[in-house]
Amino acid sequence: MAASPLLPKTRAFLWKKDKLLLLDQRLLPHKSVWRTCRTWQEVAGGIHDMVVRGAPAIGCVAAYGAVLAARRKALPKGFDGLLKARPTAVNLRWALERMRKVWEQGGNLEHEAIAIEQEDREANRRMGEYGASLVASGATLMTHCNTGSLATAGLGTAFGVLWMASRQGKLKKVLATETRPYLQGARLTAWELKNEHIPFELITDSMAAHLMKTEKVDAIFVGADRIAANGDTANKIGTYALAVLAAHHQIPFYVVAPMSTVDLYTATGDRIPIEERRIEEVVMMGGRRLAPHGIKARHPAFDVTPAGLITGIVTDRGIARPPYIDSLAFLIKDTRPALTDAAA
Amino acid sequence: MAASPLLPKTRAFLWKKDKLLLLDQRLLPHKSVWRTCRTWQEVAGGIHDMVVRGAPAIGCVAAYGAVLAARRKALPKGFDGLLKARPTAVNLRWALERMRKVWEQGGNLEHEAIAIEQEDREANRRMGEYGASLVASGATLMTHCNTGSLATAGLGTAFGVLWMASRQGKLKKVLATETRPYLQGARLTAWELKNEHIPFELITDSMAAHLMKTEKVDAIFVGADRIAANGDTANKIGTYALAVLAAHHQIPFYVVAPMSTVDLYTATGDRIPIEERRIEEVVMMGGRRLAPHGIKARHPAFDVTPAGLITGIVTDRGIARPPYIDSLAFLIKDTRPALTDAAA
């Protein structure tokens, strides 16, 4: 029998039968403010404005958005509106396609949304266990962005691996990048690591290479927003840099994501749309301007890490190894119970 | 005859016969506030607290600090105090050793400090010309941290190359990293580039790899705080990452620094002390806390780029090429007029 999914201390969203509550992550770690969404437009706005972020969380939240849309007879329009909220994360499309299928068949949308959430929580647990099996005792692990309970329905993707390794007594410490420009690492991951009593040090993105060279970094675990059929992985801007640096320092580099993040319809990474966000998110911080007025800046929110730089992809169905074109296709078709269950 | 050194629009410091004025770079680009130093302690405090920064500027400012110390009969104590203000930049030691020699010989300290400043300005001009000779027409150049008139007595080191390439009509644009945690790129370099009407885009440090992959970046020019005899180069944290990323993308990576930054007494980079600064500079920004209270963070202010990742070192005496152990030693001993003069 499968172990019951572990519940995190933090929740990014809460479904309350007739409304969806979103924890406003833009205000963390200073304030915990819940935003109430009663319409799909409010949900789409929350996704677009990054009240909620993290590919798996966005998928769950969009599913509840579809439930709210159905109650106001706003489907199928609501599907399209929710889909457009953010372009890169494929979980959004995946969740909405599931919801659309149920809607077309006249099924129970609320049940489906709850199932998506519960499956994500269970997937988190499995990824945590698979990923922790890759971690040796006394390990120093590096991570990027936020991939914990604020980014998912459960313990997280890459964060779940850190959590599980910590609970198994194998973790020495985490090096967490602050993740400019949105500071998901400094604001969210640091907050979750602190709440979970996992030892860590916060670093700027620019320090990662120096610490790979001067300290022992045993492995790097990151999340994903979309994984192409060949294993190329879109994730938060800065991930690609870490992968190149990891290869240079011969440090294993793992992507952790549920199978819902794998997009077999996208052949390679260069077909993944990269969201360009407002430059105010780069030149401003907390309402304060960092740079001079009237300048140009860039804000690609994601980058693509080629499969060749990825040591393994930890999914809820097992660990895919190169060549990913084969291993990912195998895992996605494999409907046998996951290995951890089979062994139980 | 040598061309007269070009004067920048911005000055980091101004010597006023009985006092030294420092432009408080911590408040840029929002406010231009000049701090008045009448004692060597005030100068040392200004260096330590990063009112003024940039290896060549620190050297000049420390020389004037020694002048102020002499006027209060506070030498040789003032030499030691100024030397301790920051540990990594070797220009500080170099300038103070020149001042100490003049003091021991009963020479005119003020003349020597003014000579150090004028020589740095002239060195900037030469580096700009040598460096620009490496730039092809229509180039996109990347730079890190601030290396312009706020970091030197003149047009800058790496910034001087960008400036000269721009004036020669060869520059398409600059990609300037914001340079966390102190944001010298966003606050200072962006301000100088804007003032000098040089086209540029500000990026976060984490975007550099993505742009190297997805856009044409022709070369990277950075400054240096200390160059060991073998060419290993200490510079602002994040430089080493850019060098690894440049090598991966086969982009030429140049260090630009006057010969006063070359330290033949330091054999290799692992002998260069790396300053660890207060973590408040990482977890706070402009008085605002970014990360949760009570967490650990790191703040190495510099990193070391191995010589093997450096395509060339542009100095005021010419461009050193690998092996640097030979080329740097040759340039430092070479007392012939610089090539640009010889050709005039």
Side-chain angles (χ1 to χ4, degrees), chain B residues 4-10 124-129 131-133 135 141 143 147-149 154-171 173-174 189 192-199 221 256:
Chain B
S4 71
L6 297 154
L7 269 175
K9 293 189 182 167
T10 316
N124 285 185
R125 184 186 65 78
R126 290 187 182 168
M127 286 184 280
E129 288 180 356
S133 75
V135 177
L141 304 179
T143 193
T147 61
S149 51
L155 287 169
T157 56
F159 190 96
V161 175
L162 309 178
W163 189 94
M164 198 67 79
S166 171
R167 289 304 176 274
Q168 294 176 357
K170 297 196 287 193
L171 188 68
K173 70 176 175 190
V174 172
T189 300
E192 293 195 55
L193 287 165
K194 185 186 170 194
N195 290 347
E196 299 286 349
H197 304 291
I198 297 173
F221 287 91
V256 187

Side-chain angles (χ1 to χ4, degrees), chain A residues 118-164:
Chain A
Q118 286 176 339
E119 288 169 28
D120 188 58
R121 195 169 295 131
E122 171 64 14
N124 286 184
R125 185 187 64 77
R126 290 187 183 169
M127 286 185 278
E129 287 180 358
Y130 284 125
S133 75
L134 298 165
V135 177
S137 190
T140 294
L141 304 179
M142 190 178 280
T143 192
H144 188 57
C145 198
N146 174 263
T147 59
S149 51
L150 293 168
T152 63
L155 287 169
T157 54
F159 190 96
V161 175
L162 309 179
W163 188 94
M164 198 66 81

Side-chain angles (χ1 to χ4, degrees), chain A residues 175-193:
Chain A
L175 293 170
T177 59
E178 64 175 9
T179 317
R180 282 283 289 148
Y182 213 68
L183 293 170
Q184 289 94 336
R187 297 189 301 108
L188 310 179
T189 301
W191 190 65
E192 292 194 57
L193 287 165

